[in-house]
Amino acid sequence: MTPPNRLVSIVVPFYNEGQGADAFYAAITPVFDRVPDCDFEVVCVDDGSRDDTLQRLIGLVERDKRFRTIELSRNFGKEAALTAGIDAARGDAVIPIDADLQDPPMLIPELIAEWQRGSEVVLARRADRTSDSFIKRKSAEFFYRSHNHLSTIKIPENVGDFRLMDRVAVDALKALPEQQRFMKGLFAWIGFRTSVVDYTRHQRAVGDTKFSGWKLWNLALEGITSFSTAPLKLWTYVGLAGAMLTLLYGAYIVFRTIVHGVDVPGYASLLVAVLFLGSVQLIGIGVLGEYVGRIYMESKRRPSYIVRKRHERDEN
């Protein structure tokens, strides 16, 4: 008896991607025919879009029974939308991918081939990122190196959310309790037997990026504070170094006073020292506040997302 085909779930977050929904459908569906020994489902997550994205996704559901749409109650952000899609996926393997087609769907058969050879996680690594701007490439490089230097959990460089995860890895990911989720870090934290497939990153098919510089900065802070306490330790050493310098300077003042007597001038240097140390203290309090704020948000135990409605074809 021929064993049934294994199910592969494609998870796609959408936010104001109405113009690209049909282009994504046209790009993803031919891939399914290239892997005849697998069945596919596509879990589209509408992350509170303000354009016609939801209507277009519902249209895809009505056109193709392999498509399902998860409608979130508002915009929760990409990390939450990705979490919602992974939670809803039913497949033996799950592949998150962006709707902008910068990560090529035609790579999916290669990811599946590596999975069938025994890998539990297959990373899609961007070997060529010339389609991204110079600033984006350099900022991403700086983030990965900074994060991996500060954290014991190493995030693979030039690897985004596009990857394949076996069901055992997906179940481990779903068991993690964080509400504030930095998915790239969580993907790396769970581990499992991993292989890598290289590819060339494409230009966006339609639309503009939804990540501004400010959002990317906040995402970077989320990643570092979620997986490292090194910034807290750093300010301990900064304080220790400041105390040592103060003691040395104090000893110098005492020595100079004994030798030369009391010297009244020094208001300018005193003002600079007070302002400098005050600024250092405020920065340290800010770093501490980042961690306390995340503890506060986690303590509320609010869900990462709320589903307003699920749209899928009736199997009957």
Side-chain angles (χ1 to χ4, degrees), residues 82 103 124 248 283:
L82 192 57
D103 300 324
L248 291 174
I283 294 172

Side-chain angles (χ1 to χ4, degrees), residues 78 103 123-126 129 132 136-163 182-185 187-188 199 201 216 219-221 223-224:
K78 184 184 176 183
D103 300 324
L123 305 179
R125 183 170 58 193
R126 302 158 182 170
R129 298 191 60 172
D132 292 333
K136 186 172 182 179
R137 293 198 305 271
K138 290 302 178 182
S139 61
E141 179 182 342
F142 176 76
F143 165 72
Y144 284 121
R145 291 185 178 180
S146 300
H147 182 281
N148 291 342
H149 181 73
L150 294 173
S151 175
T152 56
I153 302 300
K154 310 303 181 185
I155 298 178
E157 291 192 33
N158 293 318
V159 174
D161 297 323
F162 187 33
R163 66 189 65 211
F182 177 65
M183 297 303 291
K184 292 181 182 64
F187 289 150
Y199 73 101
R201 189 166 169 82
L216 289 172
L219 183 63
L221 284 181
I224 291 173

Side-chain angles (χ1 to χ4, degrees), residues 6 75 217 270:
R6 302 177 79 181
N75 176 241
W217 169 255
L270 180 63

Side-chain angles (χ1 to χ4, degrees), residues 251-265:
Y252 166 73
I253 293 297
V254 171
F255 174 78
R256 193 181 68 174
T257 301
I258 292 174
V259 174
H260 300 287
V262 178
D263 188 11
V264 175

Side-chain angles (χ1 to χ4, degrees), residues 21 23 34 120 129 132-133 145 161 184 214 242 253 280 285 314:
R34 296 181 57 189
E120 293 161 325
R129 298 191 60 172
D132 292 333
S133 67
R145 291 185 178 180
D161 297 323
K184 292 181 182 64
W214 180 248
I253 293 297
V280 170
I285 292 172
D314 190 346

